[in-house]
Amino acid sequence: MGMPKIENNDPKYLDPCNAAAWVVFSVALEELGLAHIINAEGEKIQKVVGDVTKPLDATEFNWLVSVNESVRGTLETIICKEIVLNLKLCQALHFLDDHYTAQSQQPPAYP
């Protein structure tokens, strides 16, 4: 999968509301990337567990535990990122809501 292309990012069109809409769009792109990472971690666990066909010796057990700890660490990092993204999204949406409530306008179509 390639990187999405962001069109019409000319600064002359970037008023505060469009900037907030771009922030919302950037959160969506980051969420997409995190979804791919989560999927890859799940596939990693499936592969490791699928390879177990007999009782494990100590070395194999330790390897299995280390893979599990690696996945857990990655997921903990993703959870932290999700918290930041949630705050970022809430701030942008509150800005848009406050702006359009004060202006009595409809929000623009998101990019």
Side-chain angles (χ1 to χ4, degrees):
M1 181 179 131
M3 187 66 182
K5 296 201 185 319
I6 299 176
E7 307 281 330
N8 297 327
N9 56 356
D10 189 336
K12 68 182 176 184
Y13 299 111
L14 202 56
D15 65 17
C17 288
N18 283 338
W22 281 109
V23 169
V24 171
F25 182 65
S26 75
V27 168
L29 290 178
E30 289 184 74
E31 291 287 354
L32 178 62
L34 292 175
H36 285 287
I37 294 169
I38 291 168
N39 185 56
E41 294 299 303
E43 289 177 1
K44 185 189 304 182
I45 291 289
Q46 284 179 333
K47 172 70 173 137
V48 169
V49 171
D51 287 347
V52 175
T53 58
K54 59 180 172 37
L56 300 174
D57 64 23
T59 304
E60 293 169 326
F61 179 77
N62 288 337
W63 176 74
L64 188 63
V65 169
S66 71
V67 170
N68 188 65
E69 288 174 355
S70 170
V71 170
R72 182 186 48 78
T74 301
L75 293 177
E76 285 177 358
T77 302
I78 289 172
I79 290 168
C80 293
K81 181 69 173 174
E82 288 287 348
I83 292 168
V84 172
L85 287 175
N86 185 48
L87 293 171
K88 183 177 172 182
L89 179 63
C90 287
Q91 290 293 318
L93 293 177
H94 285 304
F95 172 81
L96 288 170
D97 187 49
D98 290 347
H99 176 79
Y100 287 106
T101 300
Q103 302 269 333
S104 296
Q105 298 176 358
Q106 292 295 318
Y110 289 104

